[in-house]
Amino acid sequence: MKKIRVVFDTNILVSAWFWSGTESSLVELAEDGAIEAYTSPRLLVELRRTLEYPKFKLEQTEIDGICDYYTLVLKIVEPKRTVSVITEDPEDNRAIECAAEARAHYIVSGNHHLLDLKQYENIKIVRAREMLEELTKK
């Protein structure tokens, strides 16, 4: 059976790193090879920028370590096309571009702009809890 391919939005990766729960369980599934998780260079830049927020109080070496970890766990694709489906926050389109390039089945996000879409082409956009429930049904 083919593995489920997913793209984790930046908010999922940040939650997975700092808190134990649904998001971290999903990243562990990717680390274990139970699912294939993808990212793109632009999503990694967004992750780094987010981790640099003062509220996280991280040293640059810690940020480097987190980004290195995700670079190992996630497969990196370079999207060949741009989309502009979400106009309220155009950066949210990067997750869609990555998912389209990876031929992902799901985008996992906590972002309402993405979640409100529900689907892009044949890619479902779901919350972390919905994704985990979907995977445990299999």
Side-chain angles (χ1 to χ4, degrees):
M1 191 176 104
K2 290 182 80 164
K3 285 186 187 168
I4 290 184
R5 293 189 303 271
V6 303
V7 169
F8 296 129
D9 196 7
T10 301
N11 53 61
I12 299 298
L13 297 178
V14 170
S15 294
W17 186 263
F18 288 106
W19 299 281
S20 156
T22 309
E23 291 84 356
S24 58
S25 295
L26 288 170
V27 171
E28 285 168 20
L29 287 170
E31 188 177 340
D32 295 342
I35 58 175
E36 286 183 5
Y38 292 84
T39 191
S40 70
R42 287 186 73 178
L43 288 176
L44 288 168
V45 166
E46 182 183 346
L47 174 64
R48 178 175 292 279
R49 195 172 53 238
T50 302
L51 292 170
E52 289 172 347
Y53 291 165
K55 69 179 178 181
F56 293 122
K57 299 179 175 69
L58 294 171
E59 300 289 328
Q60 200 59 53
T61 53
E62 293 173 290
I63 293 169
D64 291 345
I66 295 167
C67 291
D68 288 349
Y69 166 76
Y70 283 127
T71 301
L72 290 173
V73 171
L74 308 172
K75 296 173 191 248
I76 299 173
V77 295
E78 184 68 67
K80 291 175 186 57
R81 64 180 176 137
T82 55
V83 299
S84 52
V85 182
I86 299 170
T87 53
E88 303 86 0
D89 187 356
E91 279 303 300
D92 293 339
N93 291 302
R94 306 301 78 88
I96 296 170
E97 293 164 0
C98 178
E101 185 65 33
R103 295 187 324 279
H105 303 103
Y106 295 91
I107 295 172
V108 182
S109 180
N111 179 311
H112 72 91
H113 293 134
L114 285 165
L115 290 166
D116 288 349
L117 275 182
K118 295 186 176 41
Q119 192 159 336
Y120 176 79
E121 292 177 354
N122 55 354
I123 305 162
K124 293 180 185 165
I125 304 169
V126 298
R127 293 187 176 280
R129 182 165 312 289
E130 294 171 79
M131 183 78 258
L132 200 54
E133 286 167 4
E134 184 70 27
L135 291 168
T136 51
K137 278 195 282 185
K138 304 247 177 266

